[in-house]
């Protein structure tokens, strides 16, 4: 046996095991994986339709004004049997490299995808669909929430321990008219 | 999914692809050069014949195996790789164990825990269990069937590289979707979903499965068409029979998983196959477990074969009953293809199906028991020589009995409702994986050590310490998991209720003991490999083929 083989093998094992461990536990530093604490909730309904997130109104991609530390419950309803995503990233340009979250909407009309998220930092964000980046894109403006200020202790604060839930539910058998009231959106 | 396919990315990608292609070209030049360097034995012969000659020789551990493509070299490649993967996955396991010391997630956040959990499960099963079995089969088959024609070098070599790339994909993907690609988590490519690159694990596992399936075909070809005429099926070694059984099992079930994973990857781009929306989310689970259960038997049947080979040499007798050994291996092959539904008792297959799968799971205990009794009878009539490999074997048999009995308990539909998703399941398979699969693999490594190291003996006291630490560790860790599991301790969580702390802490101690045991194996390997040559290179698992 070659003199160097055993020690090389030994070092390979140590380096591979140690290196992989470090790689596994190293967290991506840019984005936090957790949604922030919140003390109230707000539902936002979006329609996954290639024409726009609010497709049958004069303003198909409205700018949304929300607050930090509010659990935003995005309810995304698939409309046109086409694949879509709901992607949110900071800034006013579409970008996937530092997205806050990114979720697939199954291409089956009537499928509802819930995504719950609360923002820690105020700022302007972009919400868009990666499949239809020109027609399905809007701004999400997050303002600092006053209740998170000095008297925060007065409000019971929920502490989500784990990442917020993404749940799918299927409403395909529901009559369309009962859930298609577009005015419930904004 | 992130499909940011920009122009720059395309240029960059093509450049990388070009480098890889050129690297491979260089690699094959080097392979050819290496073959010519082997001189007398091989360079005068055409490649096929030189490979046959090489695969019949005794071979030392060496990195030049990566440059040669006869069966023995391929076997050495797999053995080295799977051992490295074992230590990667083992460290991940110990990390999880230590982090579970406190009920509240301490040293690992839930996301980090899930990354380690997925990497540990996937690498242990696809990298270590499957890889070491491929390695043993490639390494031992040429001598146990006196291979007369080693003709699949290039294919085997390509399959090995696919295996390696697949493992790298698994490591780099940092998926959190667990080893059975929990649906729909696996398709949510976010940090809070299955991990941003969780599709890469799917690709990696597909590569490994393709490598495994093709290698299985090669094994069958070696056994049925290329064995020496002097070896008849009725006196072929039981290890070769266990490879037959494993290979058929793989060929019959792995393709289903390859296809299902392909569908899942497509679902990333356009979710149409396994969707809650069209009611087929369960479809993926079924397609996965159709392969998933055979996979766990793939990890034990060759270990059975190795026990059948080694046991008679350490008891000084023939195996008690050769025929019932073959029968048991073939029955395992057939029956273990029929029990996969026992992983889905709580998923709504329906009571009738549940009962059918419960029954088949009870029946699969029969061939396992045939083998166990065969071994016990062999030890009974012979005189047991308590060498280190033999100690691993005996412990493997005991652990298999414990794990098997808890498996039969899990297969009871009623009991399963209570203990499904608890550490009782984790305990069930760690007893078998650690005691039998891993223990017997290390027994075989100890047996092969003089050959692999070119005539050195391993240090026996250190090997005994390795044995005692790893068995005590297994029993402490899995034992407390079993008790905790029956008390309702949930598995796959980064934190837990305080009432379970006793079990978790005891198991953490067990895990650390295990880790020290395997570290001692490494040190022993390094220490013994530098001892002076003191013994001949023969071992009981392979005979040099001279005909
Ligand atoms: C005597 C035969 C066996 C029976 C009756 C049996 C039964 C079961 C049952 C019913 C489960 C499902 C538990 C649950 O999730 O609720 C299970 C899980 C499992 N068994 Fe076995 N088993 C047997 C042998 C084996 C062997 C030999 C292995 C290989 C090491 C093995 C590995 C596993 C694994 C890895 C799981 C867990 C998969 C997971 O959920 O991650 N089993 N077994
Ligand atoms: C080195 C010793 C080992 C240690 C310390 C260890 C530890 C662990 C731990 C802590 C878990 C996670 C339990 C949970 O949270 O549910 C786990 C899961 C698992 N282990 Fe091991 N393990 C070891 C060896 C092995 C071996 C040798 C195999 C297989 C060949 C194996 C296969 C698995 C599998 C399949 C899972 C389930 C992963 C999942 O739930 O997705 N482990 N192990
Ligand atoms: Cu099973």
């Amino acid at each position: 046996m070659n003199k160097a083989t055993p020690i090389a093998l030994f070092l390979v094992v140590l380096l591979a095991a140690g290196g992989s461990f470090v790689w596994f536990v190293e967290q991506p530093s840019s984005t936090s994986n957790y949604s922030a604490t919140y003390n109230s909730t707000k539902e936002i309904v979006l329609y996954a339709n290639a024409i726009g997130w609010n497709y049958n109104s004069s303003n198909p991609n409205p700018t949304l004004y929300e607050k930090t530390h509010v659990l935003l419950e995005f309810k995304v309803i698939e409309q046109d049997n086409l694949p879509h995503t709901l992607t949110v990233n900071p800034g006013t340009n579409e970008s996937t490299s530092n997205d806050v979250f990114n979720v697939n909407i199954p291409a089956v009309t009537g499928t509802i995808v819930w995504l719950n998220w609360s923002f820690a930092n105020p700022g302007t964000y972009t919400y868009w669909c990666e499949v239809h980046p020109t027609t399905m894109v809007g701004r999400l403006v997050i303002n600092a929430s006053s209740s998170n200020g000095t008297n925060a202790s007065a409000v019971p604060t929920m502490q989500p321990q784990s990442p917020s839930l993404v749940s799918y539910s299927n409403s395909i058998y529901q009559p369309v008219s009962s859930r298609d009231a577009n005015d419930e959106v904004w | 999914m992130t499909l940011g396919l920009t122009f720059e990315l395309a240029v960059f990608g093509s450049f990388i692809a070009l480098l890889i292609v050129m690297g491979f070209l260089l690699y094959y030049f080097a392979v050819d050069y290496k073959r010519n360097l082997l001189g007398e034995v091989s360079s005068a012969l055409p490649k096929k014949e030189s490979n046959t000659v090489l695969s019949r020789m005794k071979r030392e551990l060496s990195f030049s195996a990566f440059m040669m493509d006869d069966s023995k070299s391929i076997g050495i490649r797999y053995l080295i790789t799977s051992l490295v993967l074992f230590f990667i996955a083992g460290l991940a396991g110990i990390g999880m164990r230590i982090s579970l010391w406190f009920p509240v997630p301490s040293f690992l956040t839930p996301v980090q825990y899930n990354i380690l959990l997925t990497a540990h499960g996937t690498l242990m099963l696809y990298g270590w269990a499957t890889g070491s079995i491929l390695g043993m089969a490639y390494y031992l088959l040429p001598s146990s069937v006196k291979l007369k024609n080693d003709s699949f070098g290039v294919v085997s070599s390509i399959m090995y590289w696919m295996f390696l790339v697949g493992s790298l994909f698994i490591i780099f993907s940092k998926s959190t979707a667990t080893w059975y690609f929990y649906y729909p988590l696996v398709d949510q490519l976010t940090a809070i979903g299955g991990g941003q690159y969780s599709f890469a694990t799917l690709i990696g596992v597909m590569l490994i499965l393709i490598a495994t399936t093709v290698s299985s075909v090669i094994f069958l070809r070696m056994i049925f068409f290329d064995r020496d005429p002097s070896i008849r099926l009725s006196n072929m070694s039981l290890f070769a029979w266990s490879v037959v059984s494993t290979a058929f099992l793989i060929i019959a079930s792995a393709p289903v998983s390859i296809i299902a994973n392909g569908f899942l990857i497509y679902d990333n781009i356009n979710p149409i196959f396994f969707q809650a929306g069209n009611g087929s989310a369960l479809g993926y689970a079924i397609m996965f477990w159709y392969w998933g259960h055979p996979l766990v038997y793939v990890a034990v049947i060759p270990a059975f074969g190795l026990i059948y080979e080694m046991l008679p040499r350490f008891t000084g007798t023939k195996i008690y009953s050769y025929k019932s050994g073959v029968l048991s291996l073939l029955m395992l092959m057939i029956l273990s293809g029929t029990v996969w539904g026992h992983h889905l008792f709580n998923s709504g297959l329906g009571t009738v199906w549940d009962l059918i799968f419960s029954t088949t799971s009870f029946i699969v205990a029969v061939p396992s028991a045939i083998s166990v009794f065969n071994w016990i009878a062999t030890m009974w009539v012979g005189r047991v020589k308590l060498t280190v490999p033999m100690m691993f074997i005996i412990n493997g048999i005991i652990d298999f009995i414990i794990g098997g009995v808890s498996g039969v308990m899990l297969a009871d539909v009623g009991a399963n409702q209570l203990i499904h998703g608890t550490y009782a399941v984790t305990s069930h398979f760690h007893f078998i994986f650690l005691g039998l699969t891993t223990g017997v693999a290390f027994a075989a490594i100890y047996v092969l050590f003089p050959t692999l190291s070119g005539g050195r003996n391993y240090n026996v006291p250190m090997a005994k310490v390795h044995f005692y630490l790893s068995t005590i560790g297994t029993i402490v860790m899995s034992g407390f998991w079993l008790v905790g599991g029956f008390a309702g301790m949930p598995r796959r969580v980064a934190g837990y209720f305080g009432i379970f702390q006793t079990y978790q802490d005891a198991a953490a101690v067990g895990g650390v003991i295990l880790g020290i045991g395997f570290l001692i194996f490494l040190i022993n390997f390094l220490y013994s490999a530098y001892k002076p040559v003191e013994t001949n290179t023969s071992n009981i698992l392979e005979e040099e083929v001279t005909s």
Side-chain angles (χ1 to χ4, degrees), chain B residues 191-383:
Chain B
I192 56 169
Q196 213 144 26
Y197 301 103
S198 115
F199 65 93
T201 310
L202 286 170
I203 297 175
V205 168
M206 273 168 91
L207 289 175
I208 292 182
L209 287 179
I210 292 170
T212 315
T213 314
V214 173
S215 304
S216 303
V217 177
I218 294 176
F219 296 151
L220 291 181
R221 157 97 204 201
M222 280 187 195
I223 292 172
F224 287 116
F225 300 104
D226 291 339
R227 70 171 193 280
D228 194 81
S230 69
I231 294 190
R232 279 169 293 118
L233 280 184
S234 57
N235 66 5
M236 193 167 74
S237 83
L238 278 160
F239 177 70
W241 274 113
S242 76
V243 176
V244 171
S245 161
T246 316
F248 275 125
L249 200 53
I250 290 173
I251 293 168
S253 53
V256 176
S257 179
I258 300 176
I259 292 167
N261 286 1
F263 284 176
L264 266 193
I265 291 173
Y266 186 77
D267 268 2
N268 279 315
I269 300 160
N270 181 16
I272 57 168
F273 285 113
F274 303 118
Q275 296 302 320
N278 56 22
S280 59
L282 184 57
Y284 181 74
I286 292 175
M287 286 177 88
F288 178 83
W289 285 114
Y290 186 85
W291 152 251
H293 185 85
L295 167 61
V296 304
Y297 267 88
V298 165
V300 294
I301 295 177
F304 277 31
L306 286 172
I307 294 185
Y308 273 122
E309 283 305 293
M310 293 190 279
L311 200 58
R313 318 297 169 105
F314 291 121
T315 50
T317 49
K318 279 179 31 185
I319 195 77
Y320 183 75
S321 159
Y322 175 85
K323 284 213 182 93
S324 77
V326 177
L327 179 77
S328 145
L329 292 174
L330 294 183
M331 271 173 79
L332 279 178
M333 168 182 91
I334 296 165
L335 291 176
S336 60
T338 64
V339 303
W340 46 267
H342 67 209
H343 296 273
L344 299 169
F345 279 158
N346 297 291
S347 308
L349 295 182
T351 313
V352 175
W353 282 111
D354 284 356
L355 290 177
I356 289 175
F357 284 122
S358 174
T359 313
T360 53
S361 305
F362 291 154
I363 295 174
V364 83
V366 172
S368 317
I370 295 180
S371 279
V372 169
F373 284 123
N374 208 345
W375 299 326
I376 294 177
T378 311
M379 288 192 279
W380 196 295
V381 296
R383 274 190 63 244

Side-chain angles (χ1 to χ4, degrees), chain A residues 104-115:
Chain A
N104 282 326
I105 318 299
V108 179
T109 299
T111 304
I112 298 178
V113 173
W114 285 94
L115 191 131

Side-chain angles (χ1 to χ4, degrees), chain B residues 86 90 93-94 96-97 113 117 120-121 124-125 128-129 178-179 423 426 429-430 433-434 438 477 481 491-493 511 514 518:
Chain B
F86 172 76
I94 291 164
M96 287 189 282
R97 254 335 39 243
Y113 186 91
L117 176 69
H120 172 78
M124 277 295 184
L125 285 170
W128 163 243
T178 78
W179 82 275
Y423 265 94
T426 322
F429 60 81
H430 275 82
F433 280 140
L434 276 167
T438 309
M477 185 173 86
W481 280 351
R491 64 187 279 212
R492 293 179 155 169
V493 280
L514 260 169
F518 287 112

Side-chain angles (χ1 to χ4, degrees), chain A residues 1 3 23 25-26 102 130, chain B residues 1 60 112 174 190 530:
Chain A
M1 186 161 57
K3 268 262 172 289
W23 165 253
V25 300
E26 175 242 10
N102 173 353
E130 285 173 30
Chain B
M1 176 169 127
E60 291 178 3
Q112 287 170 323
K174 297 223 270 190
T190 57
Y530 285 115

Side-chain angles (χ1 to χ4, degrees), chain B residues 433-493:
Chain B
F433 280 140
L434 276 167
L436 192 81
T437 311
T438 309
V440 171
F442 275 95
I445 290 173
Y446 277 123
V447 166
L448 291 174
F449 190 82
T451 318
L452 290 176
S453 67
R456 276 110 177 156
N457 282 324
Y458 55 87
N459 179 305
V460 177
M462 262 204 261
K464 286 204 168 140
V465 173
H466 167 206
F467 167 79
Y468 283 120
L469 289 184
S470 70
T471 41
I472 291 171
T474 307
I475 288 175
V476 170
M477 185 173 86
S478 305
F480 277 93
W481 280 351
L482 193 60
V483 183
F486 276 89
M489 183 164 76
R491 64 187 279 212
R492 293 179 155 169
V493 280

